[in-house]
Amino acid sequence: MRSFDKSTRLDPALVPLWVGLWGFLGLFVLYPLVRLIYIVFTTDGGVSLINLIKVLMSWYNRKAFFNSLALATAVSTTGTFIGFLFAFAVTRIPLPQPVKWFLGAVVVLPFVSPPFTSSIALTMVLGPNGLLLKLLHAPDFNIYGFWGTWIAETLTYFPVAFLTLTAVLKAIDPNLEDAAMSMGNTSWGTFRTVTLPLSIPGLANAFLLLFGSSLADFSTPLVMAGHSFPVLTTQAYLQITGMYDIQGGATISFILLVPALLVYLLQHYWVEQRSYVTITGKAGAPSVVKGGRFFAEALILTIISAITLFIIFLYSIIFLGSLMKVWGIDNSFTLENYVYVFTVGWEAVKDTVLIAIISTFIGSAIGVTTGYLINRKDLPWRKTLEFMSLLNYVLPGTVVGIAYAVAFNSGPIVLTGTMSIIVALCVSRYDATGIRATIASLQQIDPSIEEASLSLGASRFTTFFRVTLPLIMPAVTTGMRYLFVVSMTAVSATIFLVSVRWSLLTIRILECITELLFAQAAAFSVVLVLIVFFAIGAIAVLFHIIYPNYYRQLRRL
Amino acid sequence: MKKNGVMGKVVTLAILGTILLSSIATAAQPELNAYTIWSERYAQAIFSAFTKDTGIKVNWMRFSSGEVQARLEAERKNPQVDVVFGNMAEAFVNGIPKGLFEPYKPQGAERIPDAFKDTDGYWTGVAIDPICFMFNTRFLKDHNVGAPTSWQDLLRPEYKSQLQMADARTSGTAMYRILSIIEAMGEDKAYVYQKKLNDNVQIYTKSGAGGALPIARGQAAGGIFFLVDALEMQQKGYDVTISYPKEGVVAGIEAMALVKGAKSPDLAKKFLDWASTERMQRIYEGSQINLIPSNPDVKISNPGLDMSTVNVLPLDIKWAGDNRDRLVERWINEVLR
């Protein structure tokens, strides 16, 4: 690996690319952050720690700090576990193709639907007087607090783990598992000694992504956590929107940086120190994917079926709600909520789709480039670049949003009220998945494949587009899908950036919920989910058009 | 090697494109830009009537009271809107020393009583909205209790973990709930009372109206709301009972103001003039907006808005605005703990 890196060390063609990336990150990550830190560490123009001390003195904020950590740990543990079960089922258990497709579609539902709607559906099902509790004659329990937030966040974020881990498990050469089996290993042994260790970078990435998501999530706790279980993001948000205190809110979220960065560094060094090369180009023809033993498979299928059914139940409530006149009172069928979406809400639908499409294309170009340069090229400060490229993701959305609002409202670059500020935020904040997926899948691809192409006389450009890119295509499309989805559903950061000219669907949904227009909110959500599914399909089609030979090429390797 | 440069150009172009798109978006004709905390249906009715009357297009967004304030503060050096319509009066009072607003006394505001507008003209009240109790009628029947008519009634054991009300940190409703309790029993007693009340609270919601639907649907027994939200639930067909404490409640003043540094101050003033007229406040009843007009010339026929039998306590808006942060801090430290 090292020799390959050194050969391209001083490639001058990479300089403009490298400078461009730094320019982007400098402008949209570093600059707002500096402005934010300036707000946190100054009082009346002078440098001081008063803001930080004030925040740390509050018992409520300290409680929120520990709650945030506990919640993020719980959510990333359960989320990664469930995500892995689903990914394993899809990639290793011989299920019929339509079932796999169906599972994939259902699983992404909580992730692609705006967080407020799923939380509200959850309170209707498991909350006081909840539908499911009544159905099962279970006693009421207070869902508001840790339990509700944990369940809702796990449901919302385990699809991230599922998508990441599916890509990773798919990339593991089944020949290795075959080899282990043919050497007399049991399927559990094979799983433990081959599949699981090879999934570790994926698992660690999933854990990191989930931990970050949970730490940064404010919308779920806002609906589910209530006053008994404060977390830092809601504290920051409430401080800003409730106490009109941007400085205090910025300071609270600044504290969030510490655990977020710590987890990032831990994961980073843990994964970095191991080699996970499995696509070596030296393997023979892959054989049929082998599953585990019957009992293990049955157990996994039972668990994922139960979760899938629960999600379907949750979302049928939202769907039904969108088709009813007055939920719970007048349950007659109506389409007027959809008429509302396509008349009053049309601007928001249009704006959101446009912003998501632009963000996806710009973001995936930047994401793949970043991931590729970080993993394959020994450029100066690449560790710093990698860290910077993930920073906006690690930071809670509320903070990034406020930092943007402060930074781009005055000074040399004024972007408030424009579409570019939202696009820049989506790209710089949600690129992380694409970058991490690209790096993770590059880690599994032996550079000798690229070396072979180069030594056969192909240009670096051809090698990248004909060899590397096709191999990491699952990671690229994962990144694209993720970018599109989160650009469609982002709330915490964009809530401060939407303007009278550019509005977003999720903000409209939040407003509908605040205004008790549940049916309209539900209709908005249904439309949003349909758009996202359509887009995911479109991305898949696009991918097949660009790389019609992708699977054939893979098989030839 | 050159080919790698192509990729560089693609990325650079993408970044440039992002920045360029902004200049396209900012080039717009003069239109009035406004923030409001009124619910969409209400705001739509008001702003489209203004457009119909004057031909001026309005771009507007709806946010909660605190969010409007936070945005105004963040955008202070480059205001994005010209007018704030319908925020709570105490929020305007809070924003005056921060330099968020510009004084302007609208033509037509002469008929609005002094209690409902700022003496310096920083804000003008357009509607009055008292605090009330709203309970699920079936819950009351099932538990064989009457609608609460006193603040003490809310401490009944039947309501243990059954009340939903707004979080003081985000909601104007919550602020007026606290102010009501303070006016009714004095500040220190009010906090002792709220600590007890806390035992009966299931969740504090972000927005003032947030708890209304759960109550209407029977997920919670009841709570404390602005009358406008409670009447809205009845209008939608939910069976909820509205009542008032005999010790009294305060009423919120919904006001409007000119934003300091507004890009189109002339349009803004035109709007403020228009919105102070009788004509504007008549829209409330026509559009089923359950607010009490601040202009005494506008007659109301909805019995739900008749305050003659309700003990409405006087409120010092200036004091409320100046003490808001302190009262919320106290709420966090004494009630939530």
Side-chain angles (χ1 to χ4, degrees), chain A residues 153-273:
Chain A
E153 282 195 357
T154 301
L155 278 183
T156 310
Y157 294 118
F158 92 84
V160 181
F162 168 69
L163 293 175
T164 316
L165 291 169
T166 305
V168 170
L169 285 178
K170 267 188 193 154
I172 292 176
D173 191 337
N175 285 332
L176 293 173
E177 286 162 341
D178 281 354
M181 296 282 266
S182 62
M183 281 160 77
N185 216 329
T186 61
S187 44
W188 166 243
T190 306
F191 173 78
R192 205 168 41 82
T193 54
V194 179
T195 319
L196 192 61
L198 284 172
S199 318
I200 281 175
L203 284 170
N205 282 333
F207 191 90
L208 168 77
L209 290 170
L210 261 63
F211 201 93
S213 304
S214 172
L215 269 189
D217 185 16
F218 95 103
S219 36
T220 312
L222 206 57
V223 178
M224 304 300 295
H227 55 283
S228 59
F229 189 77
V231 294
L232 281 179
T233 42
T234 46
Q235 277 305 102
Y237 180 76
L238 294 178
Q239 194 74 24
I240 292 166
T241 61
M243 307 292 285
Y244 318 148
D245 179 8
I246 294 173
Q247 214 168 32
T251 312
I252 294 175
S253 4
F254 186 79
I255 295 171
L256 259 182
L257 266 176
V258 182
L261 292 183
L262 211 69
V263 167
Y264 166 73
L265 292 174
L266 254 174
Q267 183 269 353
H268 195 71
Y269 288 109
W270 180 43
V271 176
E272 282 288 287
Q273 277 164 13

Side-chain angles (χ1 to χ4, degrees), chain B residues 6 10 25 82 128 132 145 157 171 175 179 192 199 203-204 208 222 254 296 319:
Chain B
V6 173
V10 170
D82 311 299
I128 300 149
C132 68
V145 282
S171 151
M175 196 62 234
L179 291 169
V192 175
D199 288 340
I203 189 173
Y204 292 102
E254 319 242 350
W319 184 86

Side-chain angles (χ1 to χ4, degrees), chain A residues 508-532:
Chain A
R508 291 301 300 259
I509 294 170
L510 171 61
E511 289 309 312
C512 281
I513 288 170
T514 321
E515 291 172 33
L516 309 180
L517 305 170
F518 178 75
Q520 286 87 336
F524 264 125
S525 308
V526 172
V527 169
L528 192 150
V529 169
L530 290 178
I531 293 173
V532 167

Side-chain angles (χ1 to χ4, degrees), chain A residues 12-152:
Chain A
L14 292 176
V15 171
L17 203 59
W18 197 238
V19 171
L21 277 182
W22 272 103
F24 177 78
L25 293 176
L27 186 59
F28 292 118
V29 177
L30 207 58
Y31 173 62
L33 191 63
V34 167
R35 293 277 298 252
L36 181 85
I37 291 172
Y38 178 80
I39 286 189
V40 173
F41 289 103
T42 56
T43 322
D44 301 322
V47 176
S48 88
L49 290 175
I50 290 177
N51 293 317
L52 212 58
I53 293 167
K54 230 167 42 187
V55 164
L56 290 173
M57 288 289 281
S58 153
W59 65 274
Y60 204 67
N61 289 332
R62 287 199 303 270
K63 186 173 166 188
F65 177 77
F66 291 113
N67 285 351
S68 283
L69 290 186
L71 180 70
T73 311
V75 169
S76 39
T77 308
T78 46
T80 308
F81 178 70
I82 296 174
F84 188 76
L85 288 187
F86 273 86
F88 189 83
V90 168
T91 56
R92 291 292 184 275
I93 298 177
L95 295 169
Q97 202 55 41
V99 174
K100 286 188 188 181
W101 182 86
F102 181 73
L103 273 180
V106 170
V107 154
V108 292
L109 264 178
F111 181 63
V112 302
S113 66
F116 291 102
T117 16
S118 28
S119 295
I120 293 217
L122 198 66
T123 60
M124 293 173 112
V125 170
L126 289 179
N129 224 351
L131 285 172
L132 199 61
L133 296 181
K134 264 200 233 163
L135 217 65
L136 300 173
H137 298 285
D140 265 2
F141 85 107
N142 197 348
I143 193 173
Y144 300 108
F146 171 77
W147 295 105
T149 324
W150 179 52
I151 297 172

Side-chain angles (χ1 to χ4, degrees), chain A residues 13 17 59 129 227 235 237-238 241-242 244 327 340 344 409 420 461 495 498-499 508 511 514-515, chain B residues 1 3 8 18 22 40 61-62 66-67 71 73 78 169-170 202 204 207 217-218 236 238 324 333 337:
Chain A
L17 203 59
W59 65 274
N129 224 351
H227 55 283
Q235 277 305 102
Y237 180 76
L238 294 178
T241 61
Y244 318 148
W327 178 262
Y340 175 90
V344 182
N409 186 57
S420 22
F461 180 77
I495 198 162
V498 290
S499 60
R508 291 301 300 259
E511 289 309 312
T514 321
E515 291 172 33
Chain B
M1 263 202 329
K3 301 277 174 69
T18 318
S22 67
E40 185 174 311
M61 284 209 94
R62 192 231 161 248
E67 278 167 288
R71 288 179 83 97
E73 218 178 313
N78 176 24
R169 287 165 294 178
T170 42
Q202 190 179 74
Y204 292 102
S207 85
R217 297 192 58 255
K236 281 195 178 152
Y238 292 109
R324 182 187 184 277
N333 285 317
R337 194 190 271 275

